[in-house]
């Protein structure tokens, strides 16, 4: 199967997305945009994170970056071969590029991001054949829940 093809999400993917949603909720509670990410290898969670840009005054404090840093430290390598990521919002160009560089196998996301999405909406960085690594991507996993947490967050801030 080519990395560009999408596959149906597994029960594990759905369970990990539920964890990512819980992390997103924590981010919203502290004023960060509610995005959560979980990296897993088989049934084991090896990294997780939520947006921390506001909390840390860090422009790179996206949930995906936080989760990849944790996974690399936990596994003792920056190469995240054999790992998948569940993230509540389609990754941006920075995060999609980092996933390629980290050699992740798969990414599953919930809500598409028409303004910054780099896995299907604006770009397909994760599957670009010009890059040295590609990963499988599947969107729309628990999409309604992922859209709702973002919509509710921004609605409460208006």
């Amino acid at each position: 199967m080519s990395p560009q093809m999408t596959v149906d999400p597994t029960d594990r993917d759905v369970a990990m997305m539920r964890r990512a949603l819980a992390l997103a909720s924590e981010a919203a509670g502290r004023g960060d945009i509610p995005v959560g990410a979980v990296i897993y290898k088989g049934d084991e969670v090896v990294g997780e994170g939520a947006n921390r840009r506001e909390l840390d005054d860090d422009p790179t404090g996206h949930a995906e970056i936080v989760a990849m840093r944790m996974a690399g430290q936990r596994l003792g390598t920056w190469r995240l071969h054999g790992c998948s990521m569940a993230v509540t919002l389609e990754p941006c160009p920075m995060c999609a590029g980092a996933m390629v560089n980290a050699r992740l196998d798969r990414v599953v996301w919930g809500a598409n991001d028409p303004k910054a999405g780099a896995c299907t909406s604006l770009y397909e960085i994760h599957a670009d054949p010009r890059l040295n690594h590609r990963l499988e991507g599947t969107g729309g996993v628990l999409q309604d829940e992922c859209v709702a947490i973002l919509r509710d967050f921004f609605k409460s801030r208006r």
Side-chain angles (χ1 to χ4, degrees):
M1 175 183 308
S2 76
Q4 295 89 330
M5 294 179 64
T6 60
V7 295
D8 290 333
T10 65
D11 290 342
R12 180 182 309 123
D13 295 333
V14 173
M16 296 300 173
M17 187 64 76
R18 290 196 190 290
R19 174 64 187 145
L21 279 162
L23 293 164
S25 181
E26 292 174 15
R30 62 175 181 262
D32 266 295
I33 294 174
V35 178
V38 177
I39 298 176
Y40 47 105
K41 191 169 191 170
D43 290 328
E44 180 186 4
V45 172
V46 295
E48 61 182 23
N51 270 2
R52 299 180 57 92
R53 291 188 314 166
E54 299 296 331
L55 183 67
D56 295 341
D57 296 320
D58 179 1
T60 68
H62 290 204
E64 301 96 321
I65 301 297
V66 173
M68 283 187 279
R69 285 181 181 142
M70 179 185 286
Q73 291 169 355
R74 179 170 282 165
L75 296 173
T77 180
W78 60 268
R79 292 174 187 88
L80 303 180
H81 291 293
C83 294
S84 297
M85 178 187 293
V87 59
T88 58
L89 181 64
E90 179 185 358
C92 72
M94 174 183 69
C95 294
M99 285 185 251
V100 168
N101 285 318
R103 312 299 197 268
L104 276 168
D105 286 359
R106 301 174 59 241
V107 60
V108 296
W109 67 90
N112 283 341
D113 186 349
K115 294 183 178 181
C119 290
T120 194
S121 295
L122 298 178
Y123 309 102
E124 292 185 358
I125 291 173
H126 73 292
D128 192 319
R130 298 169 294 179
L131 298 175
N132 65 330
H133 177 76
R134 286 163 295 289
L135 52 147
E136 290 179 4
T138 302
V141 178
L142 298 182
Q143 180 175 332
D144 292 344
E145 293 94 325
C146 293
V147 168
I149 195 169
L150 288 161
R151 183 187 59 236
D152 293 347
F153 175 79
F154 287 112
K155 189 179 197 180
S156 73
R157 301 186 59 92
R158 290 186 193 121

